Amino acid sequence: MRDLIDLNFGIGTKHFINEFHEKENNFNWVIMCFHTPFVYEFNGRMLRGEVGECLINSPGKHMKHGPVEGAAEGFRNDWIILGGTEVHQLVEKYNLPIDKSFPTDNPHF
């Protein structure tokens, strides 16, 4: 039986210049790939991500991300929110970093 449920997604979503997304105890997986530089919280510190990097937020964790300081526009990203046990299995199978950005080596990913 498959247990992967696509809940919501967006492509090239533009966010306001000072808009941050923050959520406690998110119940789902949130996978994002960024078209602009961005900042995100990891272990209580704000880190910077670059164009073409992705971020996979796991369920049950605090999630915060937004634009870099001094950006002329808000950040822009593709995103998908997923629920189900198969997501964790795929993340483990492909050894993907969780809750920390990683490069795709393609700024147009």
Side-chain angles (χ1 to χ4, degrees):
M1 179 170 87
R2 297 189 58 85
D3 187 24
L4 179 64
I5 303 166
D6 175 358
L7 299 174
N8 207 348
F9 71 93
I11 297 178
T13 303
K14 294 179 181 181
H15 300 274
F16 296 114
I17 195 162
N18 292 317
E19 181 179 359
F20 273 82
H21 285 265
E22 186 168 12
K23 191 168 189 177
E24 286 290 334
N25 298 319
N26 188 34
F27 293 109
N28 298 299
W29 291 87
V30 181
I31 302 170
M32 299 163 280
C33 295
F34 290 83
H35 299 271
T36 59
F38 63 101
V39 294
Y40 67 98
E41 189 172 324
F42 180 72
N43 288 338
R45 295 180 37 218
M46 292 303 287
L47 302 177
R48 181 184 171 115
E50 299 298 333
V51 174
E53 289 187 7
C54 293
L55 179 60
I56 301 174
N57 288 124
S58 61
K61 296 262 181 121
H62 178 250
M63 176 177 84
K64 181 177 183 179
H65 60 276
V68 296
E69 187 174 332
E73 64 178 337
F75 72 96
R76 194 165 33 93
N77 65 346
D78 301 332
W79 55 272
I80 187 167
I81 299 172
L82 299 169
T85 57
E86 288 186 9
V87 178
H88 189 258
Q89 293 169 356
L90 287 170
V91 168
E92 282 187 339
K93 178 179 179 178
Y94 294 104
N95 196 30
L96 297 172
I98 299 173
D99 302 313
K100 187 168 183 180
S101 71
F102 58 94
T104 62
D105 296 328
N106 181 352
H108 306 291
F109 181 75

